[in-house]
Amino acid sequence: MALITKIREKSGIAAAAIAISLVLFLVGSDIFQGKSSLFGSSSQEVGQIAGESIMIQDFQKKVEEATANYTAQTGKGPSEQEAASIREQVWNQFVLDIAYKKEFDALGLKVSEEELIDMVQGNYIHPSVRQQFTNPQTGQFDKTFVIQFLKNLKTMPAQQQQAWAAFEKSISQDRIRSKYENLLRLSNYVTQADAQKEYQAQNSKFNARFLFVPFFSVADTTVKVTDAQLEEYLAKHKDQFKGTNTRSIQYATFPVIPTKQDTAEFYTQIKKLAKDLAVAPNDSAFAMLNSDVRTPYLLPYAEIPAAVKTMLPTFQVGGIYGPFKEGLTYSIYKYGGVKKDSLFTMRASHILIAPANKSDSAKAQAKQRAEAILAQVKGGGSFETLAQMNGMDGTAQNGGDLGYFKNNGGMVKSFEKALFGFNGTGLMPGVIETDFGYHVVKVTDAKTNTSYKLAAINKTIAPSQATLDKVFTQADAFANANGTVGAFEAALKKDKSIIMMRADRLQENSSAVNNLANAREIVRWAFDDNTAVGDGSKKVFEQDNQYIVAFLTGKTEKENVKVEDFRIELTALVRNEIKGEQISKKLAGIKGTLEQIAQKYGAGALVETVQDQTLAGGMLNTAGPDAVALGRIAGLKNGKRSAVFVGDNGVFIAEKTGGVAAPALADYSLYKNQIQMMGVQRSSFYINEAIKENAKIVDKRYKFY
């Protein structure tokens, strides 16, 4: 009886325990993953904008909607790079919806229903509407297309109606943003004094002689910089050193290379495919089915790999040729003969000399220069080098190479006619005139209208699963044995075969680490709150044909700028300050002419002369465009010498030997407009930066993607 009473007494406790256990079971995983609202939901926060939290669920929903729209428009899912771009667009939309909207609302900016109608089908059509409703036959915007679309909108699927609503919202926001930016642009005012100052800076000229002792003339090793000096400099110049969240890592790479056995098995496979291709009833279909990289059956000469081109004259119909190697890909071909096309293909290089303007004299000068270059090439000069030195279009850096092109109107008519009228290869005898200027041309591949029937099987040699597993086991063992940077560095000293790389100052949203293109997993690990400086990844990261073990070696924080974050930059600046003081002190005690002072100072001191310099675009020989020195010299009176002063790049004593101030103008509007235009061009960027700074944006996307 006593036992029963005892059980009853304890039954309430038992029931409570069961209830608590049930609750923990239901929410436990969320609690321990930081997702439960019982303990806050900061771990689910993807960012903050103007004090508003953006939760990952809301952000991801928008990303999924944008991804669905992208897929519907393109007919394919986004690549990793495109997915990152979509997430960036969604984030910017949140910034617009929250941070910008607060500014818009404060000024009462909006787009009325009447204005929206006008933007879609009225007198002032929005550019996006024009783009969407351009008649494909005429290439012109057709308002009747818009009106017809809107009449049918209610009968369209819900998804299409939602897409149109989103489109109208986007053009409304774009219009409000334009209004806002235009308002702020109107506040950009340039005074008469500003315009006059700019005019003088561009047009007043001076001559000068100066003694210059560059900072680099004093060896860095002779100047000791202490941490206390770096701390002091940083404290005085905080505005110049903005903090950012970055991480620095070192990592060991374990490349996965096919073994001899992998290679032997691959060659066996290639030989079998070659035999099967030889007897395949439909050789092109068989090749497509068995290729890692598919290529068309009919190939113009221009698209045939170089190694195959050299052997092409020896090919016989029905023959099997190869394998031809390009990188890690091996190709075998079955030759099926040739086919004549209606269009010709050729390859050429050119050197374009464009006239300075459309006048006859400018054209004559351009033609004369082109003919002189043609003569140089005929005399044995390198076409590629002359193209790099003289070419006036984007092909110059590639030696003038235009690549392969057809006679289908892709080139200017006069240029195309001249080239396709030329037989063979080599330098064309005369220059070719087009609307762009005068061209010196060398045909590098003769015109042809022949396509080749080539059934190609392209196979890429790859390591076997056994090889992959073996290398992974090595990387995993290394990660477990070396959990810290110290252990990693010790391992490097013992084993010189370990490949070590480093990556400094990775950004939160970086997707690449050096040449590792898709390395978000490594970056996320480096920025994880649980990863401390000195930690090893323990986990092995897979990257293409290699495995990675990473170690966190450094970090910087936006809100906590330290000397270590900018040690190299700070050291250079402080060292130059010290050098400036030392050089100035030595120069101050020397009297005489500039030449005498330089001689007494000794090695490193230079005396130089400049003529017709301006404050806006001056160049002081060895010192370059030293702004401090230019300002000090321009401010001297003619015939006067300055005291010793420190410039951007060294220490100076300057004498102004002459100068002519620009004459006063009755109207400075040209210079006023220049300054105004520069302000307008920059305003959009500055507005965006100011709004983002004011919104105190915290971006935590790196924790999730």
Side-chain angles (χ1 to χ4, degrees), residues 384-405:
E384 290 71 23
T385 302
L386 288 167
Q388 291 171 349
M389 293 171 58
N390 299 282
M392 300 173 72
D393 70 344
T395 68
Q397 60 189 2
N398 297 321
D401 183 26
L402 292 163
Y404 286 97
F405 51 91

Side-chain angles (χ1 to χ4, degrees), residues 610-663:
V610 291
Q611 302 286 331
D612 295 330
Q613 297 296 304
T614 65
L615 188 60
M619 187 69 66
L620 299 176
N621 298 342
T622 305
D626 192 306
V628 172
L630 285 166
R632 292 288 291 267
I633 297 171
L636 288 172
K637 291 183 178 180
N638 288 342
K640 295 295 182 180
R641 177 192 285 188
S642 74
V644 177
F645 68 89
V646 181
D648 291 330
N649 304 310
V651 181
F652 294 81
I653 301 174
E655 295 176 352
K656 189 173 181 180
T657 57
V660 180

Side-chain angles (χ1 to χ4, degrees), residues 46 49 52-71 78 82-98 162 165-167 169-170 173 701 705:
V46 78
I49 301 172
E52 294 189 26
S53 289
I54 312 299
M55 307 309 290
I56 184 59
Q57 297 90 336
D58 300 326
F59 185 78
Q60 184 58 29
K61 182 181 178 183
K62 295 288 186 184
V63 169
E64 288 169 359
E65 289 173 358
T67 302
N69 288 336
Y70 175 89
T71 303
E82 290 161 343
S85 177
I86 288 171
R87 291 194 294 270
E88 185 67 21
Q89 291 170 15
V90 170
W91 177 257
N92 289 336
Q93 188 63 48
F94 271 102
V95 173
L96 184 63
D97 289 342
I98 299 172
Q162 291 167 4
F167 175 73
K169 179 185 175 183
S170 71
Q173 288 180 327
R701 285 178 290 162
Y705 302 100

Side-chain angles (χ1 to χ4, degrees), residues 493-557:
K493 291 178 181 178
K494 290 180 183 177
D495 187 352
K496 302 298 183 183
S497 67
I498 298 172
I499 302 171
M500 190 277 283
M501 303 290 289
R502 63 180 299 148
D504 293 322
R505 299 206 174 184
L506 295 171
Q507 301 291 320
E508 294 167 331
N509 293 312
S510 297
S511 59
V513 175
N514 293 338
N515 64 337
L516 306 176
N518 299 311
R520 276 301 302 160
E521 194 177 5
I522 297 175
V523 176
R524 281 208 308 273
W525 165 81
F527 278 93
D528 192 286
D529 293 338
N530 296 319
T531 304
V533 173
D535 283 355
S537 60
K538 294 184 176 66
K539 176 184 177 180
V540 176
F541 301 103
E542 185 176 353
Q543 282 286 319
D544 298 325
N545 291 321
Q546 59 188 318
Y547 293 108
I548 307 292
V549 179
F551 300 84
L552 187 65
T553 57
K555 64 191 296 187
T556 67
E557 297 172 346

Side-chain angles (χ1 to χ4, degrees), residues 8-85:
R8 284 175 177 170
E9 289 173 355
K10 298 292 185 183
S11 63
I13 298 172
I18 292 169
I20 292 170
S21 298
L22 183 60
V23 170
L24 289 176
F25 173 76
L26 291 172
V27 301
S29 61
D30 282 349
I31 288 174
F32 294 117
Q33 293 176 38
K35 298 177 182 177
S36 173
S37 59
L38 291 173
F39 300 104
S41 56
S42 62
S43 66
Q44 292 297 289
E45 189 179 71
V46 78
Q48 293 179 14
I49 301 172
E52 294 189 26
S53 289
I54 312 299
M55 307 309 290
I56 184 59
Q57 297 90 336
D58 300 326
F59 185 78
Q60 184 58 29
K61 182 181 178 183
K62 295 288 186 184
V63 169
E64 288 169 359
E65 289 173 358
T67 302
N69 288 336
Y70 175 89
T71 303
Q73 290 174 7
T74 63
K76 65 180 182 67
S79 64
E80 182 61 34
Q81 188 175 359
E82 290 161 343
S85 177

Side-chain angles (χ1 to χ4, degrees), residues 37 65 158 190 237 273 302 356 416 456 572 657:
S37 59
E65 289 173 358
V190 180
H237 302 86
L273 285 170
E416 192 174 273
T657 57

